[in-house]
Amino acid sequence: MFLAFQGAIAQGILWGVMVLGVYITFRLLDIADLTVDGSFALGGCTCAVLIVETGIDPWLGLLAGLLVGVLAGAVTGLLHTVFDIPAILAGILTQIGLWSINLRIMGKANVPLLRNHTIFSDFAGVTGLGVNVATIIIGLLLTVALIGALYWFFGTEIGSALRATGNNEDMVRALGVDTRITKLLALMVSNGLVGLSGALVCQSQKYADVGMGTGAIIVGLAAIVIGEVLGRVMPGHLRSFSSRLIAAVVGSIMYFLIRAIVLQMGLDPNDMKLLSAIIVALALAVPVVMERAAARRSFSKGGEA
Amino acid sequence: MLTLSNISKTFNKGTVTEKVALNGLNLHLAPGDFVTVIGGNGAGKSTMLNSIAGVFPVDAGRITLDGVDITRLSEPKRAQYLGRVFQDPMRGTAADMQIDENMALAARRGQRRTLRWGITAAERELFADKLKMLGLGLETRLSDKVGLLSGGQRQALTLLMASLKKPDLLLLDEHTAALDPKTAAKVLELTTEIVEEDHLTTLMVTHNMHDAIRLGNRLIMMCDGRVIYDVSGEEKAHLHRADLMAKFEEAGEDMSSDRMLLG
């Protein structure tokens, strides 16, 4: 039981890297980027094949996962910005295409890493820690570094223009920034993180599977929403940018903990995706319903006055 | 300064909703001109401003600014020359970003964005000074999200942002039309202050004839996609609403169906 929770936390942190990527598109750019399901698996599959076939250093495997993720983001970005294909559709196109590409890369539906080194097994070997603890430590260090890097990037001139693009495209263009470029860049950064996360998860679970990214976008959205709900009940409401990034990762950890708990309680693992979908749908629907209710209440008040 | 020669623009060409918005428009602005633009709905006022800003390509004609042909430049490329304030206060600022972040974006208008930090400490001080000029108390709220401001405050901020990096040409597209009369007056006052201080060449579209006569050194009236009346200097100073009304009627504008403010 304890081990299961340790594993859930480890998974939550590694998937948290993907959630950071989804946060960029969903919250900063205001796009639901469905590339994610494909680019997550792409990162994992590429990393696994490179490690198994060429025996490269597992850290380079992570880098490869990141780079192919960036490429996948670029494809969606170009479809969206150059050819004006709606973002959701552009993402779906890339995602579907990546399914075949991932199968091509692996040559089969999954690649096990049974006897290969991973960054986690290496670290566990050196330190003598359990694999879960080693995963949590490396994952946390990596996540802190990534959040730091994102905080820096989104504070730069380019990063600020990127954040503004999700807010008000008209304004950004009027201030001399080509929003096609900022969107393309955001999709590349986002999917780079997603690909990296796929590579991390592949090394942690010691296999890559063509279906490993299926539903990843829903996990990402659910984690963001959980993180935001947690942020809202915290003092200060966690409004700063860095705390919102941290909340996204914490949301991911919470998601996998909740998942571990309901699985312990006897939920069929296959029902987990339904549960995730319901969580996200509720989280998106509740604020709308509440706003409408508030509008109705204020109307009757006005009438009486 | 700005020269529009023979600009034509037709929307939805070849469809039932085809609309000729600009029809061989010619206009020349001298440096420092503050031109107010009036005209009925569909006269082409906003289309003219959007053509200058490059929101869409024109069908024919040539736009030059300070001798540079900008006719085929993209909207972001032209931004280096232009300060713009839109009618909708929400369109000029990014709601989820702080006041100082918005200003920092505007301070870099037309410049290459780099990986340098998006805002410097020196800029923050400068922004606070500039905000003080507005007299809205925003100088103490630099890190507030712009979404917390009222429409009038946002429009005043947009105006400030448009002039933060001195534009060759300031385009104001009915920038007070969405504000209540008191706020509108305040924003207009601010407009003249900024335009005069920086000697900005300005094109201001308005629906308010009184403002059009009162402000600026030159007034143009548009109808059916071209300029039908162009008055400046002494003649403009002595202009009356009745004169404009007469011009409108001459041009066959139906005043009753128009949202022209007669105040």
Side-chain angles (χ1 to χ4, degrees):
Chain A
M1 177 94 174
F2 177 66
L3 212 61
F5 287 146
Q6 249 184 13
I9 292 172
Q11 262 194 309
I13 295 170
L14 300 185
W15 281 77
V17 174
M18 178 212 64
V19 179
L20 289 175
V22 176
Y23 186 87
I24 292 173
T25 45
F26 186 62
R27 278 300 183 225
L28 297 186
L29 218 55
D30 207 12
I31 285 177
D33 173 30
L34 300 183
T35 316
V36 168
D37 286 20
S39 53
F40 185 81
L42 177 66
C45 297
T46 308
C47 177
V49 168
L50 281 176
I51 287 177
V52 171
E53 301 285 330
T54 69
I56 63 163
D57 188 278
W59 287 98
L60 287 179
L62 294 186
L63 185 65
L66 184 131
L67 291 179
V68 291
V70 169
L71 281 181
V75 172
T76 302
L78 290 172
L79 288 174
H80 176 49
T81 58
V82 177
F83 301 108
D84 281 345
I85 298 174
I88 291 210
L89 187 52
I92 292 175
L93 292 174
T94 312
Q95 183 204 113
I96 293 295
L98 281 174
W99 179 272
S100 303
I101 289 176
N102 289 335
L103 280 172
R104 283 272 176 195
I105 288 173
M106 295 196 295
K108 52 193 169 186
N110 70 66
V111 170
L113 297 177
L114 288 178
R115 275 179 297 278
N116 302 85
H117 290 283
T118 68
I119 58 167
F120 307 114
S121 68
D122 285 352
F123 186 67
V126 170
T127 56
L129 291 167
V131 170
N132 275 338
V133 178
T135 308
I136 290 173
I137 291 175
I138 291 194
L140 277 181
L141 289 175
L142 209 64
T143 308
V144 168
L146 285 172
I147 288 178
L150 287 176
Y151 182 76
W152 166 77
F153 176 67
F154 283 103
T156 64
E157 291 173 351
I158 294 177
S160 304
L162 216 148
R163 276 189 293 145
T165 303
N167 249 264
N168 188 342
E169 277 189 54
D170 287 337
M171 165 206 176
V172 174
R173 270 194 301 269
L175 294 180
V177 178
D178 194 332
T179 51
R180 287 173 306 180
I181 291 176
T182 48
K183 283 189 204 170
L184 176 64
L185 204 60
L187 283 164
M188 287 166 70
V189 172
S190 163
N191 282 290
L193 289 169
V194 175
L196 172 63
S197 175
L200 284 166
V201 168
C202 134
Q203 291 196 24
S204 145
Q205 68 189 16
K206 304 215 91 182
Y207 70 89
D209 185 277
V210 68
M212 70 187 278
T214 308
I217 181 72
I218 292 300
V219 175
L221 297 181
I224 288 171
V225 164
I226 293 169
E228 284 172 349
V229 170
L230 288 175
R232 227 166 283 150
V233 298
M234 297 287 276
H237 303 291
L238 297 186
R239 269 198 211 96
S240 82
F241 184 60
S242 50
S243 57
R244 278 189 281 177
L245 293 179
I246 294 169
V249 177
V250 172
S252 172
I253 297 172
M254 289 306 297
Y255 174 87
F256 281 94
L257 276 175
I258 295 169
R259 194 181 117 109
I261 291 168
V262 294
L263 291 182
Q264 287 282 341
M265 285 161 55
L267 184 91
D268 184 333
N270 288 330
D271 290 339
M272 196 54 210
K273 287 214 163 76
L274 174 64
L275 187 64
S276 308
I278 291 172
I279 290 176
V280 174
L282 277 179
L284 296 178
V286 165
V288 176
V289 172
M290 275 169 58
E291 204 167 290
R292 245 178 241 155
R296 216 170 295 134
R297 271 198 305 278
S298 64
F299 174 73
S300 60
K301 255 183 236 153
E304 285 155 20
Chain B
M1 164 85 273
L2 172 78
T3 307
L4 304 177
S5 17
N6 260 313
I7 302 293
S8 292
K9 176 71 192 178
T10 304
F11 290 109
N12 306 320
K13 230 178 212 164
T15 70
V16 285
T17 53
E18 180 172 292
K19 160 88 185 132
V20 178
L22 297 178
N23 188 9
L25 169 72
N26 286 295
L27 181 68
H28 176 80
L29 300 196
D33 262 355
F34 180 173
V35 182
T36 56
V37 185
I38 56 171
N41 287 332
K45 308 180 299 294
S46 285
T47 309
M48 174 174 73
L49 257 53
N50 287 334
S51 300
I52 298 169
V55 175
F56 39 70
V58 294
D59 300 333
R62 213 167 107 93
I63 307 170
T64 58
L65 193 63
D66 276 333
V68 182
D69 187 340
I70 60 166
T71 318
R72 314 210 50 157
L73 285 188
S74 71
E75 186 182 3
K77 285 254 167 57
R78 290 185 206 196
Q80 56 182 306
Y81 310 111
L82 306 171
R84 289 162 70 192
V85 183
F86 309 104
Q87 177 176 352
D88 180 357
M90 306 302 144
R91 271 181 74 195
T93 43
D96 288 343
M97 294 176 76
Q98 301 173 5
I99 294 179
D100 53 359
E101 290 177 321
N102 270 276
M103 295 178 79
L105 283 167
R108 287 161 181 71
R109 177 168 48 76
Q111 287 174 15
R112 238 185 103 82
R113 313 278 158 159
T114 67
L115 287 176
R116 275 196 294 270
W117 199 243
I119 181 167
T120 65
E123 278 183 318
R124 242 183 225 116
E125 268 174 44
L126 171 79
F127 295 164
D129 281 348
K130 291 268 182 189
L131 286 169
K132 225 174 261 169
M133 202 180 101
L134 300 183
L136 296 169
L138 295 182
E139 61 273 13
T140 57
R141 297 174 62 187
L142 279 178
S143 2
D144 274 10
K145 296 272 154 70
V146 167
L148 298 172
L149 307 185
S150 69
Q153 288 173 325
R154 282 180 79 160
Q155 206 63 331
L157 178 63
T158 310
L159 193 60
L160 197 60
M161 283 164 56
S163 60
L164 211 47
K165 182 165 180 284
K166 192 183 167 187
D168 295 326
L169 176 65
L170 180 62
L171 300 175
L172 307 171
D173 192 358
E174 291 187 51
H175 68 307
T176 58
L179 307 176
D180 65 82
K182 207 173 141 219
T183 318
K186 169 89 194 152
V187 170
L188 273 184
E189 193 184 310
L190 196 70
T191 307
T192 32
E193 254 174 61
I194 288 178
V195 168
E196 276 168 20
E197 196 179 286
D198 289 338
H199 309 290
L200 298 177
T201 312
T202 306
L203 263 178
M204 180 177 108
V205 173
T206 177
H207 264 104
N208 187 312
M209 281 208 234
H210 179 65
D211 291 337
I213 295 172
R214 188 169 60 92
L215 300 172
N217 66 322
R218 185 171 162 195
L219 178 151
I220 61 173
M221 185 186 286
M222 291 183 70
C223 183
D224 294 333
R226 36 173 84 183
V227 176
I228 56 160
Y229 184 47
D230 187 341
V231 52
S232 56
E234 274 302 286
E235 199 188 344
K236 170 171 183 286
H238 297 108
L239 206 59
H240 285 284
R241 240 175 38 213
D243 305 327
L244 291 181
M245 296 295 287
K247 282 283 168 197
F248 267 111
E249 270 166 40
E250 224 174 90
E253 286 274 339
D254 180 7
M255 301 308 291
S256 61
S257 71
D258 206 280
R259 65 189 178 102
M260 178 79 56
L261 294 178
L262 303 176

